[in-house]
Amino acid sequence: MSKTYAAAVLECFPNAALVTDRFHISQAFHVAVDKARKHIQNKIRKEDGDKKKVFGIRWAFFKKS
């Protein structure tokens, strides 16, 4: 998924098809969600100062409906 890696592959193999597997897509999604969660938690913690409000917010993001 690296732009540098993709550019190098296409330079060496111009007819190659770049493919991204499900693991790396899932990993990128979870990193983005975790980053957003941390931002929200820090904002709530700074504004309210109540740690109980932010406890367990990660599970709200990842729980199944």
Side-chain angles (χ1 to χ4, degrees):
M1 290 178 49
S2 166
K3 290 180 183 180
T4 306
Y5 181 76
V9 168
L10 290 175
E11 184 178 322
C12 294
F13 306 103
N15 296 328
L18 296 175
V19 178
T20 305
D21 61 307
R22 289 188 323 192
F23 170 78
H24 287 98
I25 293 171
S26 176
Q27 183 183 35
F29 172 75
H30 283 279
V31 167
V33 169
D34 203 40
K35 186 177 178 181
R37 175 194 58 82
K38 287 177 185 179
H39 175 75
I40 292 168
Q41 280 182 329
N42 288 334
K43 185 175 180 180
I44 292 171
R45 207 177 275 144
K46 286 178 184 176
E47 290 176 357
D48 295 341
D50 188 7
K51 290 184 180 182
K52 289 182 181 179
K53 286 185 179 179
V54 297
F55 181 76
I57 197 170
R58 182 172 189 239
W59 304 115
F61 277 113
F62 292 118
K63 82 175 191 175
K64 294 181 181 179
S65 303

